[in-house]
Amino acid sequence: MYQSKVIGLGKYVPERVVTNDELTNYMETSDEWIRERTGIEERHWVEEGDGNTTAVMGAKAARQALERAGLQPSDIDFIVFATLSPDYYFPGSGVLLQDILDMPTIGALDVRNQCSGFVYATAVADQFIKTGMYKNVLVVGSEIQSTGLDLSTRGRGVSVIFGDGAGAMVLTRTEEKNKGFLAHSLHSQGKYADQLIVKYPSSAFPTQRYFEHLKENPDDTSHFPYMNGNFVFKHAVVRFMEAIMEVLQKAGVSKQEIDLLIPHQANLRISQFVQKQLGLKDEQIMNNIQKYGNTTAASIPIALTEAWEQGKIKEGDLILQAAFGSGFTWGANLLRW
Ligand code: UT7
């Protein structure tokens, strides 16, 4: 069986920076509240006319990852695209990226697993490489949250945490042992689907009928993200740890051997809790939520790329990716660099 290793990483965030202070123009909040509860100082949001869509941003990150991998778009055999904010209901953003990058008619698969989307996407890509079906796979996480948020005070519990951005990873086949992805853990618990959700309009409540419903019920906010923040937080800290311990056990390594943890950037307090549980030093965990907010499926590839750019990753390092979010879905990937 083959192994799959990372040979290129890239990221892209829109130019527009939105500070916590700017948010106070739209809703009752404060820089102090946001920093204290989440660690976030600013985020990047797309702006009208900048040409960014979820697929376009994904393509920008992918170009950088391909360049760093020394590959052309035509060298890629398969695309896995993780997002909760696709350009359209259908088709998915993966096929749009295939077109933007002018790739051959290779397969493109969209993964709809929200905050853990990139963890699922890398696990999927790894399986295709391990079985020998594909040699080079492009994995992308890209999100535009800002266009779907309730920016009034009503939505402040959710809207202040989200940012836009994209990250990309190129995986290739290797026959080296103990290299690349060593183990994955993937889980879900749909009974909590409605604890973090954008509900309508949807096939269950079609657009036309929902618009009629809104005329009678103008206060319904089902078209905006809803999150039971405390409930999600409590589950996140438990599930992060479970998924991490599971991959370590599967690979037969101990938590003392971890060199770098790349947690999904959901809330700095969640990451700090996990860091403490694992006994990691500050340099063993990557946190950049301060600058980007929570970019859901894009947060891990953006953080991993930045860690690599900052020289925090060296040959042979044991790296963990872990995430928890809407679904609930959660999981982890263990990777030998
Ligand atoms: O990425 C996917 C997974 N997501 C997560 O893991 C997120 C998990 N949850 C969280 O990160 C936190 O629950 C939040 C950051 C979303 C919220 O923090 P919290 O400490 O759980 O606050 P809370 O929702 O319990 O609200 C506390 C108070 C409330 O006021 P009262 O009722 O105590 O008077 C809120 O109305 O803070 C108020 N509040 C705000 N105040 C200023 C809520 N949002 C804001 C805001 N600015 N943006």
Side-chain angles (χ1 to χ4, degrees):
M1 195 144 82
Y2 298 110
Q3 290 289 107
S4 54
K5 66 172 181 181
V6 181
I7 53 165
L9 291 167
K11 69 176 202 307
Y12 173 80
V13 289
E15 271 178 36
R16 182 176 173 222
V17 176
V18 177
T19 61
N20 293 341
D21 279 337
E22 181 180 336
L23 294 180
T24 64
N25 297 328
Y26 318 128
M27 62 185 85
E28 280 171 37
T29 188
S30 65
D31 178 48
E32 194 193 358
W33 191 96
I34 301 171
R35 275 180 202 247
E36 209 171 274
R37 306 280 176 138
T38 71
I40 300 167
E41 295 164 20
E42 57 189 35
R43 71 285 292 139
H44 292 246
W45 282 359
V46 295
E47 56 191 325
E48 193 123 5
D50 70 4
N52 281 317
T53 70
T54 298
V56 166
M57 295 202 308
K60 288 176 183 172
R63 270 197 200 98
Q64 189 177 53
L66 283 163
E67 202 179 300
R68 288 170 172 175
L71 296 184
Q72 297 298 321
S74 56
D75 295 321
I76 296 295
D77 303 311
F78 194 69
I79 301 160
V80 188
F81 197 118
T83 186
L84 65 72
S85 53
D87 299 44
Y88 311 121
Y89 275 119
F90 72 89
S93 297
V95 302
L96 305 178
L97 176 129
Q98 178 271 336
D99 180 52
I100 295 166
L101 293 181
D102 199 18
M103 291 164 129
T105 57
I106 56 171
L109 172 73
D110 272 41
V111 169
R112 290 283 313 275
N113 281 61
Q114 303 72 246
C115 301
S116 61
F118 198 78
V119 166
Y120 271 74
T122 44
V124 168
D126 182 42
Q127 307 316 304
F128 279 123
I129 290 175
K130 281 206 165 91
T131 58
M133 183 157 169
Y134 295 124
K135 185 165 175 241
N136 298 318
V137 179
L138 173 65
V139 192
V140 175
S142 181
E143 303 284 10
I144 294 184
Q145 312 275 6
S146 59
T147 52
L149 299 175
D150 179 358
L151 293 185
S152 71
T153 298
R154 195 177 55 177
R156 66 183 179 175
V158 177
S159 302
V160 299
I161 72 171
F162 285 125
D164 303 339
M169 173 188 274
V170 179
L171 287 177
T172 197
R173 174 194 294 175
T174 177
E175 293 188 35
E176 295 165 88
K177 301 278 173 248
N178 194 25
K179 188 88 175 170
F181 285 98
L182 306 179
H184 307 283
S185 129
L186 304 173
H187 292 275
S188 71
Q189 193 174 26
K191 81 169 168 179
Y192 296 131
D194 60 1
Q195 299 298 312
L196 178 44
I197 190 169
V198 179
K199 209 164 189 180
Y200 303 130
S202 65
S203 58
F205 204 157
T207 314
Q208 201 60 41
R209 196 142 57 81
Y210 185 67
F211 285 162
E212 291 300 320
H213 162 85
L214 271 186
K215 282 185 204 158
E216 306 291 319
N217 306 273
D219 293 331
D220 193 338
T221 55
S222 302
H223 49 290
F224 288 124
Y226 164 78
M227 175 166 68
N228 184 350
N230 281 305
F231 189 81
V232 174
F233 193 104
K234 283 182 193 139
H235 282 255
V237 288
V238 173
R239 298 306 196 184
F240 257 97
M241 283 307 298
E242 282 178 5
I244 289 169
M245 296 317 287
E246 186 183 330
V247 281
L248 292 175
Q249 197 230 336
K250 277 185 180 173
V253 294
S254 70
K255 61 182 184 181
Q256 285 76 19
E257 292 172 71
I258 301 169
D259 291 298
L260 185 63
L261 171 64
I262 312 281
H264 161 52
Q265 309 287 302
N267 183 320
L268 191 58
R269 291 191 298 151
I270 294 178
S271 299
Q272 286 167 339
F273 181 88
V274 175
Q275 176 186 355
K276 204 165 160 211
Q277 294 284 305
L278 291 169
L280 299 177
K281 300 192 198 93
D282 287 350
E283 57 271 25
Q284 289 175 292
I285 182 166
M286 184 65 194
N287 291 310
N288 62 6
I289 192 171
Q290 299 90 332
K291 289 189 294 177
Y292 304 119
N294 176 345
T295 58
T296 48
S299 90
I300 288 180
I302 292 174
L304 183 64
T305 302
E306 216 164 77
W308 178 80
E309 287 169 348
Q310 292 170 4
K312 291 186 174 163
I313 299 177
K314 56 182 191 318
E315 188 82 22
D317 276 357
L318 198 58
I319 295 171
L320 254 169
Q321 302 184 151
F324 174 89
S326 162
F328 290 150
T329 60
W330 65 97
N333 324 97
L334 188 68
L335 169 67
R336 175 80 65 192
W337 200 263

